[in-house]
């Protein structure tokens, strides 16, 4: 029992499937999605490099501190902070990619970035093996420290876009409300948004519940899942 508690956060902290679903939905995904709207606007107004470094630092510290937590409410708060901070990464990344590469290479550069996201998701499964070796607390600490290192490296290696390339040269000033009105009035964009929503609804459902199902259905083969 002591060994299992070391490997599984829900056993040591003491929470079940309902609490787990709260962590995955309201605690992270829902707030991540909602915050992304404001994150995109913030990136329009401020430096995408600063947003990238700051968000990476905040979510990495949140990850590390989850390894120090002893209560479910602490885990939930840190997951909320993690979800909100991660919302700033994608709009920042697309902005920097758009400014760094000419239009003829933009699709390729965006696809390379997107492949990195899914590669990272695949590698995340290996933390199951990490849990069995060093425990869930040290796994959180290890991943969190890696993120902090990445934030520091990004601060000294990422280039800030030229002011002229990120500044609206027209005299028209767009508010958050007017920007959303323009975007949502495009029927083609709405179809893309809805399609993406349904796609990720299925994808996140599988990602959230597959590890739990596999552990219950094949308790002696959890390392094979990784």
């Amino acid at each position: 029992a002591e060994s299992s508690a070391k490997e599984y956060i829900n056993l040591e902290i003491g929470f079940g499937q309902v609490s787990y679903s709260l962590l995955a939905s309201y605690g992270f995904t829902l707030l991540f999605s909602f915050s992304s709207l404001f994150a995109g606007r913030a990136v329009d107004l401020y430096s995408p490099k600063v947003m990238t470094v700051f968000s990476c630092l905040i979510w990495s510290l949140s990850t590390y501190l989850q390894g120090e937590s002893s209560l479910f409410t602490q885990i939930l708060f840190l997951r909320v902070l993690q979800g909100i901070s991660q919302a700033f990464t994608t709009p920042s990344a697309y902005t920097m990619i758009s400014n760094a590469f000419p239009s003829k290479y933009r699709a390729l550069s965006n696809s390379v970035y997107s492949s990195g996201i899914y590669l990272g998701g695949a590698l995340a499964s290996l933390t199951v093996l990490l849990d069995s070796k060093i425990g869930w607390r040290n796994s959180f600490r290890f991943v969190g420290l890696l993120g902090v290192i990445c934030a520091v490296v990004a601060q000294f290696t990422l280039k800030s876009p030229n002011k002229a390339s990120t500044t609206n040269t027209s005299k028209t000033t767009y508010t958050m409300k007017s920007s959303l009105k323009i975007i949502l009035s495009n029927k083609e964009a709405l179809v893309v948004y809805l399609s993406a929503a349904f796609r990720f609804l299925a994808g996140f459902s599988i990602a959230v519940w597959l590890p739990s199902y596999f552990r219950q259905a094949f308790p002696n083969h959890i390392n094979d899942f990784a």
Side-chain angles (χ1 to χ4, degrees), residues 48-63:
K49 174 186 173 180
V50 172
M51 292 294 176
T52 298
V53 173
F54 183 73
S55 64
C56 183
L57 185 62
I58 295 299
W59 100 58
S60 298
L61 290 174
S62 300
T63 302

Side-chain angles (χ1 to χ4, degrees), residues 101-202:
F101 297 95
S103 57
K104 64 179 180 179
Y105 296 122
R106 200 161 293 159
L108 175 60
S109 56
N110 283 333
S111 65
V112 171
Y113 168 75
S114 298
S115 66
I117 296 175
Y118 290 100
L119 176 61
L123 292 175
S125 298
L126 296 178
T127 56
V128 175
L129 298 177
L130 200 61
D131 288 347
S132 64
K133 297 294 183 181
I134 63 176
W136 69 268
R137 289 188 180 276
N138 285 330
S139 296
F140 272 116
R141 292 165 183 153
F142 175 73
V143 174
L145 285 175
L146 283 181
V148 171
I149 293 172
C150 288
V152 173
V153 172
Q155 172 63 27
F156 292 101
T157 57
L158 289 179
K159 295 180 180 180
S160 296
N162 295 327
K163 188 70 176 177
S165 65
T166 57
T167 303
N168 180 18
T169 56
S170 70
K171 295 181 179 180
T172 305
T173 300
Y174 296 100
T175 63
M176 178 74 174
K177 182 179 180 180
S178 62
S179 298
L180 284 175
K181 185 177 180 179
I182 293 172
I183 295 170
L184 297 179
S185 64
N186 187 306
K187 294 181 179 180
E188 290 80 5
L190 284 176
V191 172
V192 173
Y193 299 152
L194 289 173
S195 300
F198 283 113
R199 173 197 170 200
F200 279 95
L201 173 64

